[in-house]
Amino acid sequence: MSATCTVVIGAGPAGLTAAYELVKAGQGVVVLEESDTVGGLSQTVERDGWRFDIGGHRFFTKVPEVEALWHDILPPEDFLMRPRMSRIYYNGAFFDYPLKAMNALRGLGVAEAARCVLSYAITRIHPPKDQTTFEGWVAARFGWRLYRIFFKTYTEKVWGMEATEIQADWAAQRIKNLNLMTAARRAVLPRRNRKDVASLIEEFQYPKYGPGLMWEHCRSRVEELGGEVRMRTAVSAVRHQEGRAIGVTATTEGGMRVYEADHVVSSMPLSTLAKVMDPPAPTHVQEAADGLRYRDFLTVALVVPQRFSFPDNWIYIHSPSVKVGRIQNFGSWSPYLVKNDRTCLGLEYFVNEGDELWNDSDDELIALAKRELGALGLVQPDAVEAGYVVRMPKAYPVYDADYKGHVEAIRAWLAEVAPNVHPVGRNGMHKYNNQDHSMLTAMLTVQNILGNGRHDIWRVNVEDDYHEEQTGKAAAGGSAREGAGREAPLHPRRQTAA
Ligand SMILES: Cc1cc2nc3c(=O)[nH]c(=O)nc-3n(C[C@H](O)[C@H](O)[C@H](O)COP(=O)(O)OP(=O)(O)OC[C@H]3O[C@@H](n4cnc5c(N)ncnc54)[C@H](O)[C@@H]3O)c2cc1C
């Protein structure tokens, strides 16, 4: 096919993957990125020589093409294999995560453990009536008492809503077919007899200087092969006429500029894309865009002496008395992220843009984070030597009762008026997913653009596979690298032109 020009919106994993695949195929590409950093949610922030993630970013995938691309982009010496450890902190004690029945019951003490088992037995006899919500679904499987200790607080911190408002799909995807009985059976059965749930991930890949390193390298590759990556360039309109997109308008410090396009690959939030279409989308599509919700995120990175370090990559904070939801220890992610006998802890707060915490000043947030570290007994507040705040809007696309309908309304309208606009990635498709999923949607989209396939991008990850656990044969022989704690994309049935 002759060379086309594709405008890619966003220089996160999806946008840069699309750009790289296109330039490798000899196509013209311009990437427009509104911020001054590549990597999107997978960027590595740098402050005073400290590098830290927006959340920790493990690299794991079941998709060989994605794995191959990571290793094509990053030289082997820059890609580390790191041990994984994470625990739950509750009531002054640490519990293994993923939960292990005996460890959890031991940590709770004999009396509390007995109350939890009794509560489970009662719940088996009188199960919650409504199991369509997160609360009912989990309580039915673990009993009310364990549910309150290990599931309710953290989940409500993450989503900022009552567990009774969260759909059961979320729990089903994360916890799959586990319940207290299977967890207990796992704990006592010899390893070879465990057919139901398999080994837990013990290590993962991680770029030496954080995930941003991958995307900094990828940007260089795109530019070396003739693509353009324009930073601080925010897309404000996608122009379409006669059933096709024809160009993109973007704003930079220098003013507005129009980029003509044969194709537009968009990793900007799907709701924003629907809003910037020009001529505008009809009312029902605009309403669908308004209906898509997000959860926002802020991290307070604190520099502390190495003696306060811990072996975990991160710790879940279940104590309801503090607002912090999770604490990353970046020194455990990579020794190259920390220096001078210090480590950097990332205290993560799940927020809504514009709420009280979001609007607090950086000094107030650093003071809060120091107080909470002290209250948890992890670090004395006066041992903290420096603090940095990063606010990240739209970190999590929310799966509420209406999101599927909204996504479908936008998808169907776009397919009708501008089939050469290709939504990809996490917020780009409003899918709660990882880098590998975002990259796969971009790779398959490029195959579609090049005429090498007719993939249904919306079907990537239809079979959600929470691979903290693996079942059957894969479990018995599978390597730790195959599973790492979040859902992973599976190929949709390939629909090649042939
Ligand atoms: C706390 C947290 C932890 C995570 N942990 C992991 C993990 O361990 N492993 C893993 O693989 N994944 C993880 N993820 C998921 C991963 O971050 C995402 O899947 C991935 O970054 C999505 O890539 P993307 O390119 O689709 O979107 P994004 O990363 O969101 O990139 C989109 C880009 O588009 C730009 N943009 C938006 N609007 C415009 C506009 N109007 N004009 C121009 N540019 C625009 C944005 O600035 C951004 O750079 C995590 C995410 C979070 C929030």
Side-chain angles (χ1 to χ4, degrees):
M1 74 181 280
S2 60
T4 57
C5 184
T6 299
V7 171
V8 175
I9 307 175
L16 284 174
T17 299
Y20 188 34
E21 294 291 286
L22 282 161
V23 288
K24 280 195 291 187
Q27 304 296 306
V29 176
V30 183
V31 181
L32 307 176
E33 166 56 51
E34 72 177 348
S35 75
D36 56 7
T37 314
V38 293
L41 294 168
S42 307
Q43 65 183 263
T44 300
V45 178
E46 184 161 1
R47 300 277 171 87
D48 294 339
W50 297 97
R51 284 176 72 96
F52 51 92
D53 299 11
I54 308 297
H57 274 68
R58 286 174 288 169
F59 283 65
F60 58 88
T61 187
K62 285 182 175 178
V63 182
E65 295 94 317
V66 170
E67 180 79 32
L69 194 66
W70 284 340
H71 287 274
D72 169 19
I73 296 171
L74 212 55
E77 63 275 17
D78 283 348
F79 220 0
L80 311 177
M81 186 59 83
R82 298 296 300 161
R84 171 246 168 97
M85 180 171 173
S86 58
R87 286 176 295 172
I88 292 172
Y89 190 70
Y90 173 77
N91 220 3
F94 284 102
F95 298 85
D96 288 346
Y97 181 84
L99 280 174
K100 293 186 191 121
M102 290 309 159
N103 169 274
L105 296 175
R106 222 181 2 253
L108 291 169
V110 179
E112 183 59 51
R115 281 193 284 269
C116 288
V117 172
L118 184 65
S119 162
Y120 175 69
I122 294 172
T123 320
R124 296 298 290 177
I125 300 164
H126 302 290
K129 285 202 179 63
D130 183 2
Q131 293 185 30
T132 63
T133 69
F134 179 87
E135 175 160 305
W137 196 97
V138 178
R141 283 154 183 82
F142 292 89
W144 283 100
R145 219 170 167 97
L146 277 176
Y147 157 72
R148 287 200 191 95
I149 295 173
F150 288 120
F151 297 92
K152 179 178 162 64
T153 317
Y154 182 73
T155 306
E156 290 184 345
K157 277 185 191 178
V158 172
W159 294 109
M161 46 179 148
E162 301 283 328
T164 46
E165 286 176 58
I166 300 167
Q167 298 297 293
D169 308 14
W170 167 249
Q173 184 181 330
R174 307 291 293 188
I175 305 167
K176 269 260 163 95
N177 53 4
L178 195 65
N179 61 32
L180 189 61
M181 281 313 286
T182 49
R185 213 172 42 237
R186 268 164 74 185
V188 293
L189 275 182
R191 186 168 279 270
R192 67 176 179 282
N193 288 340
R194 290 187 207 162
K195 291 277 189 310
D196 52 348
V197 205
S199 65
L200 301 167
I201 177 71
E202 276 148 17
E203 55 182 6
F204 55 84
Q205 298 179 97
Y206 188 73
K208 196 171 173 180
Y209 296 109
L213 185 68
M214 177 72 71
W215 304 115
E216 288 154 19
H217 273 253
C218 189
R219 175 195 175 162
S220 304
R221 291 287 183 85
V222 169
E223 290 175 334
E224 280 157 23
L225 292 173
E228 284 180 56
V229 181
R230 295 182 172 263
M231 307 302 290
R232 289 181 223 90
T233 305
V235 169
S236 51
V238 175
R239 296 164 57 226
H240 62 104
Q241 75 184 33
E242 292 168 10
R244 288 192 74 72
I246 52 165
V248 164
T249 308
T251 313
T252 57
E253 280 159 15
M256 298 246 279
R257 181 171 160 190
V258 174
Y259 295 84
E260 286 180 8
D262 299 302
H263 290 275
V264 177
V265 173
S266 169
S267 68
M268 80 206 289
L270 187 63
S271 54
T272 318
L273 174 64
K275 290 280 176 174
V276 300
M277 294 300 287
D278 176 21
T283 312
H284 77 279
V285 175
Q286 303 263 358
E287 284 171 359
D290 290 335
L292 289 178
R293 295 160 64 203
Y294 302 88
R295 186 73 167 148
D296 311 299
F297 180 89
L298 68 83
T299 192
V300 184
L302 299 178
V303 177
V304 300
Q306 178 63 22
R307 68 176 188 280
F308 293 109
S309 188
F310 38 82
D312 310 62
N313 309 97
W314 70 91
I315 299 173
Y316 295 101
I317 306 296
H318 282 222
S319 315
S321 56
V322 291
K323 292 182 175 158
V324 63
R326 207 166 46 179
I327 302 180
Q328 303 286 342
N329 179 12
F330 290 109
S332 296
W333 284 84
S334 165
Y336 297 93
L337 296 180
V338 297
K339 53 184 179 170
N340 307 338
D341 210 19
R342 310 272 186 284
T343 191
C344 179
L345 304 180
L347 279 78
E348 300 179 347
Y349 295 89
F350 305 100
V351 292
N352 288 331
E353 200 174 343
D355 72 10
E356 207 183 320
L357 268 189
W358 181 272
N359 286 335
D360 275 350
S361 68
D362 288 7
D363 286 346
E364 286 168 327
L365 288 168
I366 291 166
L368 170 74
K370 285 162 75 169
R371 267 199 317 277
E372 294 202 331
L373 272 186
L376 291 167
L378 294 175
V379 181
Q380 300 141 13
D382 57 8
V384 174
E385 297 175 10
Y388 310 96
V389 176
V390 179
R391 293 173 184 75
M392 184 51 76
K394 296 190 172 58
Y396 298 92
V398 171
Y399 285 5
D400 59 18
D402 303 320
Y403 88 95
K404 278 187 187 155
H406 296 323
V407 168
E408 180 49 25
I410 300 170
R411 188 206 62 75
W413 179 75
L414 280 173
E416 186 189 317
V417 302
N420 59 337
V421 173
H422 309 275
V424 292
R426 175 159 158 132
N427 287 332
M429 301 177 77
H430 205 84
K431 288 203 173 196
Y432 178 86
N433 268 320
N434 280 331
Q435 289 174 100
D436 61 338
H437 170 270
S438 307
M439 293 172 65
L440 183 59
T441 57
M443 291 166 106
L444 297 179
T445 292
V446 170
Q447 290 181 15
N448 287 349
I449 291 174
L450 296 175
N452 295 338
R454 283 194 289 133
H455 305 286
D456 182 352
I457 306 304
W458 294 92
R459 290 193 56 216
V460 179
N461 209 37
V462 283
E463 293 172 75
D464 290 320
D465 183 9
Y466 177 49
H467 59 164
E468 195 71 79
E469 299 154 3
Q470 295 173 320
T471 50
K473 275 190 194 158
S479 79
R481 202 193 289 192
E482 285 173 291
R486 279 195 186 81
E487 58 279 22
L490 299 171
H491 262 287
R493 191 164 44 83
R494 282 173 192 268
Q495 296 177 312
T496 55

